[in-house]
């Protein structure tokens, strides 16, 4: 599925861009000096990377891979949690007065600036539409997102496509507790408990 931009109340959202820009300027200067030293002249149809060219390369590497690596997280003081992974657990709701617990699997795909939260039960699937981390000045870290839920073809006739909101709370990235509320069409609420697979 498509990953969407998310917000986070952390200082690394600004700090990373500043550091990458400084590194890009230094790299572009060093590359130009190296070309001059060895008298390397690119063909007219092939230009050397500019500051913004290097910035694009560095940001792509950081956004997709490096931000997850412990060394770079410490180097850049990354506060944004890495929730990438598959989580399994149970879900219960007010639909049946919390009498039953359904198995649920969540898959979270996350880059430094984008995220997708996908879930599946035996009767439906859902995917996030927007998301935001709340991390500063709170008792428990959380990820808040709204989602669209779609019943499977063999689900009961009373189920229909609907939107809702969920709030995932976590102290570590290994376990999550959550609450959700379904809007128009369902008007139910419930709770979720998850643990990261493996």
């Amino acid at each position: 599925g498509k990953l969407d931009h998310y917000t986070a109340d952390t200082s690394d959202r600004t700090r990373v861009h500043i550091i990458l820009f400084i590194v890009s300027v230094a790299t572009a200067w060093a590359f130009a000096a190296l070309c001059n030293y060895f008298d390397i002249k690119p063909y007219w149809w092939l230009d050397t990377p500019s500051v913004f060219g290097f910035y694009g390369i560095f940001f792509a590497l950081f956004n997709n891979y490096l931000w997850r690596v412990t060394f770079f997280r410490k180097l850049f003081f990354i506060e944004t949690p890495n929730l990438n992974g598959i989580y399994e657990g149970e879900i219960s709701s007010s639909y049946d007065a919390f009498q039953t617990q359904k198995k649920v699997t969540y898959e979270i795909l996350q880059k430094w600036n984008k995220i997708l939260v996908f879930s599946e039960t035996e009767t439906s699937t859902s995917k996030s539409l927007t998301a935001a981390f709340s991390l500063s000045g709170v008792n428990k870290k959380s990820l808040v997102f709204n989602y669209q839920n779609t019943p499977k073809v063999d689900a009961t006739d009373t189920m229909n496509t609907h939107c809702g909101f969920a709030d995932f709370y976590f102290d570590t990235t290994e376990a999550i507790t959550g609450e959700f509320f379904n809007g128009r069409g369902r008007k139910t609420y419930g709770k979720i408990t998850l643990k990261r697979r493996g």
Side-chain angles (χ1 to χ4, degrees):
K2 176 179 173 289
L3 278 67
D4 295 297
H5 286 276
Y6 63 87
T7 61
D9 56 347
T10 61
S11 58
D12 63 48
R13 313 307 284 179
T14 301
R15 182 171 55 249
V16 166
H17 292 292
I18 294 174
I19 294 174
L20 290 180
F21 183 76
I22 293 172
V23 172
S24 299
V25 170
T27 305
W29 177 85
F31 185 77
L34 194 65
C35 287
N36 289 334
Y37 181 80
F38 289 103
D39 196 27
I40 299 174
K41 296 180 180 179
Y43 292 107
W44 64 269
W45 47 265
L46 179 63
D47 196 7
T48 58
S50 64
V51 171
F52 292 103
F54 280 113
Y55 178 86
I57 294 171
F58 293 149
F59 181 79
L61 288 172
F62 181 84
N63 188 46
N64 289 293
Y65 309 105
L66 300 183
W67 80 281
R68 306 180 193 178
V69 180
T70 301
F71 172 78
F72 288 99
R73 290 185 65 84
K74 291 181 178 179
L75 182 66
F76 284 81
F77 300 101
I78 301 301
E79 303 166 70
T80 305
N82 176 13
L83 294 182
N84 273 292
I86 297 176
Y87 296 79
E88 296 176 329
E90 296 178 330
I91 185 172
S92 58
S93 79
S94 61
Y95 178 76
D96 62 354
F98 299 93
Q99 294 302 303
T100 60
Q101 294 184 327
K102 293 183 178 180
K103 298 291 184 182
V104 63
T105 300
Y106 274 85
E107 182 175 8
I108 300 179
L109 304 174
Q110 184 187 358
K111 298 181 180 181
W112 181 69
N113 69 344
K114 292 184 178 182
I115 197 169
L116 171 67
V117 183
F118 178 83
S119 72
E120 182 173 13
T121 67
E122 61 181 14
T123 57
S124 67
T125 61
S126 73
K127 61 179 181 179
S128 61
L129 303 175
T130 59
F133 278 101
S134 179
L135 306 169
S136 302
V138 294
N139 293 329
K140 191 177 281 284
K141 299 174 183 178
S142 70
L143 171 67
V144 182
F145 60 96
N146 77 306
Y147 58 84
Q148 182 180 65
N149 182 279
T150 304
K152 293 182 177 179
V153 293
D154 56 350
T156 61
D157 293 339
T158 57
M159 295 187 66
N160 50 58
T161 300
H162 59 275
C163 291
F165 287 87
D167 204 342
F168 280 2
Y169 303 99
F170 53 92
D171 290 318
T172 72
T173 58
E174 299 303 313
I176 292 172
T177 59
E179 300 173 348
F180 68 89
F181 169 77
N182 291 318
R184 182 180 178 86
R186 296 293 289 175
K187 296 182 179 179
T188 55
Y189 55 91
K191 54 186 179 180
I192 306 166
T193 56
L194 300 170
K195 287 187 177 181
R196 189 197 292 265
R197 180 191 292 176

